Amino acid sequence: MSVFLLDAMPAASSVSRSTARNCAIYISGGIGDGVLSMVFVRALAEQAGGTVSLLMTQNESAQELFRAQPYVKEVISLRSENRLRGWERITRVKQILADRAYDSLFLFTFRTHIALAARLAGIPQRIGFVRMHQPHLAALLTHRIWVRRKGTPHPDIYTWLPLLYAKAGYQFEPRYPSLFCTDSASSKAMQFCHAQSRTIGFGLNGSIPCKRYSGRAFAQVARTLHARDGGLRFVLVGGSDVQDIAQEIRSLLPESITLLDATQQAKDICDSQALIASCSVFVSNDSMGMHIAAAHGIPTIGLFGATPALRYVPWLYPVEATVKGDMATIAPQTVAEAIWKHLATTDSHGAAAPAGRCSPQL
């Protein structure tokens, strides 16, 4: 993706960065898109009085993960408004924005109806990106950058958002962890992931089946690692849609391997997050779980076949399929070696106890 800064800007907004204290951010897409954005949300909150508001279209249960963050003032669900069309949708969103009198709105995802509603609501700073093939939308924003790519520019958010912050007079300094766990969720996770033990997490989710590593392959990874260290624990993380993969893994592993199937137990997304945050290493398909692990600074092995490999933080280590689009061409031995390598690195560097990853440092 190419990013271009706008040469000619409209008159400066009457609200400066230093006085902007009622900021909101619009984020749509999947749960993983929201998780990816949180390092930027935290950076903005630290410059805007400590908290920001989020306007989100993710499902209600997922929104609890974002609502639990100490730098989030509130999460406003736009799911019902998202189902409307035309001026009815614009009018509803405009009223929501006007009622809260935001002085700045960042559009991490550009949607025309949100930008138009923000302008009609009189929000002084409207900050986002405009695609090169849609120049007629530029007037809806007061601060913008141009992107060439069509569609949502994920996973290039780490390319263009820092430029957008600078354009609007904000700084971006990545702060990790960018997510925090609740005390109750952390306590549940520690019942399995003891501080004295080493736990390997398997992220089974994938938004579409072709993004998912097979249960048989995950089981082979576990057997290989268990042969090297019989004290390793394994946790399977995912939703109800991957319970069949988890069941296959369980059926292929001997009882001598300590295994927790969280797809059968952890129904709360905050509980799943805490399990991931307590892992020594997390290996995952390109999914929400991978992004949560990266947000916590966990050494993360990302499995990529159907999607481009991501390398947005130093502790995300991509393993790519040898045949594009075919997850079966990722050899279990390769995955096991990657886990073992980074498990050894974590041990030698004296990784922080999981509880430290769950305590906000604002």
Side-chain angles (χ1 to χ4, degrees):
M1 181 194 75
S2 299
V3 179
F4 295 83
L5 296 182
L6 188 64
D7 293 325
M9 290 293 296
S13 167
S14 60
V15 177
S16 67
R17 179 193 65 79
S18 60
T19 60
R21 285 294 180 267
N22 190 14
C23 295
I25 299 171
Y26 172 73
I27 304 171
S28 67
I31 304 172
D33 297 304
V35 172
L36 265 172
S37 301
M38 294 309 284
V39 67
F40 295 96
V41 175
R42 184 181 178 191
L44 180 62
E46 291 177 349
Q47 300 172 69
T51 60
V52 296
S53 298
L54 300 181
L55 301 127
M56 309 190 80
T57 61
Q58 286 78 6
N59 64 59
E60 296 293 344
S61 61
Q63 289 180 20
E64 290 305 313
L65 174 66
F66 306 106
R67 198 169 278 119
Q69 302 311 309
Y71 51 83
V72 173
K73 180 179 180 181
E74 64 175 340
V75 174
I76 301 163
S77 176
L78 295 183
R79 285 182 64 79
S80 60
E81 288 74 17
N82 210 41
R83 290 190 285 267
L84 302 175
R85 291 294 180 266
W87 278 105
E88 183 181 8
R89 176 166 65 172
I90 293 169
T91 301
R92 286 270 294 271
V93 174
K94 171 195 168 185
Q95 191 61 52
I96 290 171
L97 298 176
D99 288 346
R100 289 163 173 82
Y102 296 123
D103 49 44
S104 297
L105 175 65
F106 285 75
L107 286 84
F108 282 12
T109 313
F110 185 87
R111 293 289 182 267
T112 304
H113 70 281
I114 298 293
L116 179 55
R119 181 171 180 176
L120 294 173
I123 296 178
Q125 289 188 337
R126 304 177 303 278
I127 304 161
F129 67 89
V130 181
R131 299 178 182 91
M132 293 290 286
H133 65 287
Q134 296 177 320
H136 58 287
L137 299 177
L140 296 177
L141 302 175
T142 59
H143 303 78
R144 67 263 195 190
I145 58 172
W146 296 87
V147 300
R148 285 191 182 277
R149 181 174 173 176
K150 294 183 179 181
T152 302
H154 164 72
D156 301 294
I157 185 172
Y158 279 78
T159 300
W160 62 265
L161 252 180
L163 298 176
L164 183 60
Y165 271 37
K167 194 73 174 178
Y170 293 82
Q171 297 178 347
F172 172 62
E173 180 181 349
R175 294 282 302 280
Y176 288 95
S178 57
L179 290 177
F180 300 101
C181 306
T182 63
D183 291 340
S184 60
S186 298
S187 297
K188 293 177 186 177
M190 290 308 296
Q191 292 176 16
F192 178 80
C193 305
H194 303 300
Q196 295 78 19
S197 66
R198 300 193 296 177
T199 301
I200 310 300
F202 288 167
L204 309 184
N205 273 117
S207 57
I208 49 180
C210 66
K211 293 174 65 174
R212 298 171 184 168
Y213 206 40
S214 72
R216 182 170 296 277
F218 272 121
Q220 182 58 50
V221 172
R223 283 196 297 267
T224 300
L225 293 171
H226 179 72
R228 297 187 180 187
D229 183 350
L232 289 177
R233 294 166 173 258
F234 298 88
V235 59
L236 310 180
V237 181
S240 58
D241 56 330
V242 292
Q243 287 181 351
D244 58 327
I245 298 176
Q247 182 177 3
E248 182 182 16
I249 295 171
R250 295 199 317 270
S251 69
L252 292 171
L253 294 180
E255 293 185 1
S256 58
I257 296 181
T258 304
L259 178 70
L260 172 66
D261 182 2
T263 70
Q264 302 285 338
Q265 300 182 31
K267 304 302 182 185
D268 188 309
I269 191 171
C270 293
D271 291 345
S272 295
Q273 180 202 197
L275 276 171
I276 295 171
S278 299
C279 290
S280 304
V281 177
F282 195 74
V283 56
S284 175
N285 306 316
D286 179 10
S287 67
M288 170 194 72
M290 182 188 76
H291 296 308
I292 288 177
H296 281 276
I298 306 297
T300 306
I301 313 299
L303 306 179
F304 298 93
T307 53
L310 301 180
R311 296 176 174 84
Y312 60 85
V313 287
W315 50 89
L316 173 55
Y317 310 100
V319 176
E320 299 182 69
T322 56
V323 176
K324 185 177 181 181
D326 188 357
M327 295 289 281
T329 63
I330 301 177
Q333 185 65 33
T334 300
V335 177
E337 289 295 338
I339 295 171
W340 189 256
K341 173 184 176 181
H342 296 294
L343 188 63
T345 301
T346 300
D347 291 343
S348 65
H349 290 167
R357 300 183 182 122
C358 303
S359 302
Q361 301 291 328
L362 293 177

